[in-house]
């Protein structure tokens, strides 16, 4: 028996496991201490009652002879695919139902999509980035090249002048930096992909957070994207479905990937649960206003954080079209993590865990409740003032 040799190339510590380990150690040492997490990537607002009603109705239907359903279509039920088509139509984008594939979340879609590609491809990934892209490619044994996202380009990596890629990952609004591409900027990526005969994996898991008109909510707003892109989306953050599990992938019919993905799903996937698909449908139909309210609450929390950062003169990106705020702490990210936990009992996510360009930066999220976010910001203000006094004496700056 030979195990997947690429496993040994994965980083030993998965970022969030290491964060959990350090928080556990802290709470063991100081039991009962009131730790607030501004590091969580999970949602806290409970499900919309419309989703719950759809869940109950669907479960009841399954208990009847006429409403019972067994295995569903590999690519999802027509009622949800049509709802996704209408969701795009509302934003002026035309796709058709054959181009929509329902998944059990964006992460599975993004990771499994690599099944359609030969390992002899060059995969271009921005740095810093959502760690799952890198890990899925390491596991598949793919060749990775990085494009830099730094404060000089507003943490929005642009196509390199020289260099080739076959597969390009773009995440906008971005996890971890919260930065989001304008339609104009995405045009450059689409042109680069077309010149390289490459495919763009466009992760739009946070598109519902976009308020800025110049920022693209879908890669398919860009001319030419239908010839080079697939888009992954999710109900996780827009509707609080991180535990319910539902997402979708759009693959234009012109691409051979469309039929290949259907075939792949038929081999390895038996579809997303009927009940869950009914819940998701309810969020795109009558419950759409509830998703907007949820997103607005998280954006309000983001505003609580960014207003304080403005007041304190902290350098940051994000928080406008995203639930993430990415700020410059000026020292090693893990040292800052430990110091912030010790002094203010706040958990953050160290930027270096998202790539080398993340060192010296920290990710906060707006997913905690309003009350906890307000309390954290109050603590953070005193922490930051004190940190600035001791910073030079206690810490080396990041170069
Ligand atoms: N894509 C990005 C950029 C994410 O940050 C996440 C989750 O945090 C996902 C995808 C996963 O989404 P899902 O819950 O739909 O699998």
């Amino acid at each position: 028996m030979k195990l997947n040799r690429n496993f040994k190339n994965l980083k030993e510590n998965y970022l969030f496991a290491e964060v959990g380990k350090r928080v556990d150690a802290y709470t063991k040492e100081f039991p009962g201490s009131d730790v607030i997490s501004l590091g969580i990537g999970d949602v806290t607002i409970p499900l919309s009652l419309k989703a719950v009603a759809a869940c109950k109705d669907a479960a009841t239907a399954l208990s009847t002879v006429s409403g019972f359903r067994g295995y569903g279509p590999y690519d999802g039920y027509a009622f949800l695919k049509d709802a996704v088509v209408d969701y795009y139509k509302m934003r002026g984008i035309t796709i058709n139902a054959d181009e929509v594939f329902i998944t059990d979340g964006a992460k599975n879609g993004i990771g499994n999509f690599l099944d359609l590609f030969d390992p002899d491809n060059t995969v271009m990934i921005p740095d810093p980035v959502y760690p799952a892209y890198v890990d899925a490619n390491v596991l598949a044994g793919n060749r990775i090249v990085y494009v830099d996202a730094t404060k000089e380009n507003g943490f929005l990596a642009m196509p390199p002048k020289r260099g080739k890629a076959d597969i390009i990952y773009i995440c906008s609004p971005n996890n971890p930096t919260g930065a989001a591409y304008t339609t104009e900027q995405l045009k450059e990526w689409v042109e680069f992909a077309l010149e390289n005969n490459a495919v763009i994996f466009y992760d739009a898991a946070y598109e519902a957070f976009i308020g800025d008109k110049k920022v693209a909510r879908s890669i398919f707003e860009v001319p030419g994207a239908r010839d080079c892109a697939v888009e992954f989306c999710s109900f996780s953050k827009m509707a609080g479905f991180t535990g319910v599990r539902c997402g979708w992938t759009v693959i234009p019919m012109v691409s051979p990937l469309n039929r290949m993905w259907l075939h792949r799903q038929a081999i390895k996937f038996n579809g997303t649960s009927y009940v869950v698909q009914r819940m998701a449908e309810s969020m795109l139909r009558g419950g759409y206003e509830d998703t907007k309210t949820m997103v607005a609450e998280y954006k309000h929390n983001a505003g609580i954080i960014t207003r304080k950062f403005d007041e304190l003169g902290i350098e940051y990106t994000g928080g406008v079209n995203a639930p993430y705020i990415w700020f410059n702490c000026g020292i090693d990210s893990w040292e800052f993590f430990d110091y912030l936990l010790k002094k203010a009992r706040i958990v953050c996510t160290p930027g270096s865990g998202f790539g080398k360009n993340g060192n010296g930066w920290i990710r906060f999220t707006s997913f905690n409740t309003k009350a906890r976010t307000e309390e954290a910001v109050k603590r953070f203000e005193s922490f930051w003032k004190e940190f600035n006094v001791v910073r030079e004496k206690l810490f080396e700056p990041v170069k």
Side-chain angles (χ1 to χ4, degrees):
M1 178 189 67
K2 290 190 183 118
L3 299 173
N4 181 347
R5 72 185 69 172
N6 300 315
F7 238 87
K8 68 174 182 334
N9 298 328
L10 290 169
K11 277 211 196 98
E12 186 68 20
N13 277 319
Y14 186 60
L15 171 63
F16 298 103
E18 180 61 24
V19 167
K21 212 167 87 187
R22 291 187 190 212
V23 175
D24 282 353
Y26 178 84
T27 46
K28 243 186 221 137
E29 193 177 346
F30 304 101
S33 51
D34 179 27
V35 173
I36 304 179
S37 181
L38 290 184
I40 45 173
D42 204 348
V43 291
T44 49
I45 302 173
L47 291 178
S48 150
L49 292 179
K50 301 222 170 66
V52 176
C55 176
K56 287 181 182 160
D57 289 349
T60 306
L62 291 179
S63 73
T64 63
V65 172
S66 60
F68 176 75
R69 287 159 200 254
Y71 291 122
Y74 303 118
D75 51 338
Y77 284 103
F79 61 77
L80 182 53
K81 285 157 63 101
D82 289 344
V84 171
V85 169
D86 289 345
Y87 183 60
Y88 278 77
K89 197 187 284 169
M90 199 168 66
R91 295 183 267 140
I93 301 165
T94 307
I95 56 170
N96 77 56
D98 291 342
E99 299 177 324
V100 178
F101 294 80
I102 305 304
T103 62
D104 56 358
K107 194 181 208 172
N108 265 356
I110 296 165
N112 292 333
F113 214 67
L114 291 173
D115 275 5
L116 308 191
F117 296 87
D118 193 278
D120 188 22
N121 277 306
T122 299
V123 181
M124 186 170 274
I125 302 182
D127 173 338
V129 84
Y130 179 51
Y133 305 160
V134 175
D135 289 346
N137 279 282
V138 168
L139 215 48
N142 291 341
R143 194 165 50 243
I144 302 175
V145 294
Y146 292 96
V147 269
D148 289 329
T150 59
K151 71 174 180 177
E152 283 70 32
N153 57 24
F155 286 100
L156 291 168
M158 296 307 291
K161 298 268 176 295
R162 274 185 295 274
K164 234 198 98 46
D166 303 299
I167 297 171
I168 300 159
Y169 280 79
I170 298 178
C171 176
S172 181
N174 191 270
N175 179 7
T177 69
Y181 287 99
T182 62
T183 314
E184 282 304 308
Q185 288 170 316
L186 281 182
K187 260 189 201 157
E188 290 188 38
W189 273 115
V190 167
E191 280 160 18
F192 179 80
L194 292 170
E195 276 161 23
N196 278 272
N197 195 21
V199 57
I200 295 175
F201 287 12
Y202 191 78
D203 184 347
Y206 298 98
E207 59 77 27
F209 287 77
I210 295 172
D212 189 338
K213 292 260 176 301
K214 287 196 182 126
V215 170
R217 285 187 66 172
S218 163
I219 187 81
F220 299 117
E221 288 172 32
V222 179
R226 288 180 62 81
D227 296 316
C228 65
V230 296
E231 179 160 297
F232 302 93
C233 222
S234 172
F235 289 93
S236 281
K237 308 296 158 76
M238 78 184 288
F241 274 31
T242 52
V244 174
R245 310 300 309 141
C246 197
W248 71 86
T249 308
V250 178
I251 312 169
M253 285 304 278
V254 291
S255 169
L257 296 172
N258 182 296
R259 292 298 95 186
M260 282 174 76
W261 183 241
L262 184 62
H263 196 166
R264 186 269 174 210
Q265 292 295 74
I267 296 166
K268 293 193 182 176
F269 185 58
N270 260 337
T272 306
S273 129
Y274 170 71
V275 173
V276 164
Q277 291 193 57
R278 280 293 186 201
M279 293 170 77
E281 178 201 21
S282 77
M283 291 290 86
L284 293 185
R285 301 281 190 206
Y288 184 55
E289 285 306 311
D290 289 1
T291 70
K292 290 213 281 199
T293 309
M294 260 182 213
V295 168
E297 280 189 44
Y298 293 129
K299 285 180 74 161
H300 181 82
N301 291 346
I304 294 172
I305 299 170
T306 54
R307 273 193 299 281
K308 187 54 72 186
F309 280 10
D310 288 336
E311 228 178 277
L312 296 170
I314 295 175
E315 186 181 15
Y316 69 91
T317 59
V320 179
N321 297 302
Y324 298 116
I325 302 109
W326 177 251
F327 68 95
N328 189 348
C329 69
I331 66 169
D332 175 86
S333 301
W334 279 110
E335 280 192 51
F336 187 87
F337 173 93
D338 289 333
Y339 199 62
L340 181 64
L341 180 59
K342 187 168 125 196
K343 292 286 178 185
R345 290 160 291 134
I346 295 172
V347 178
C348 63
T349 313
S352 54
F354 298 99
K356 72 170 173 37
N357 290 328
N359 198 23
W361 292 76
I362 295 293
R363 189 191 78 173
F364 271 174
T365 79
S366 64
F367 287 127
N368 214 321
T369 61
K370 178 166 175 269
R372 296 297 274 166
T373 305
E374 280 169 344
E375 168 61 21
V377 164
K378 219 190 288 165
R379 284 189 204 172
F380 185 81
E381 179 171 13
S382 345
F383 163 85
W384 186 257
K385 288 178 179 161
E386 192 234 276
F387 172 66
N388 276 316
V389 175
V390 299
R391 180 201 300 237
E392 279 185 23
K393 210 165 84 200
L394 297 184
F395 302 100
E396 288 286 324
V398 161
K399 287 180 195 76

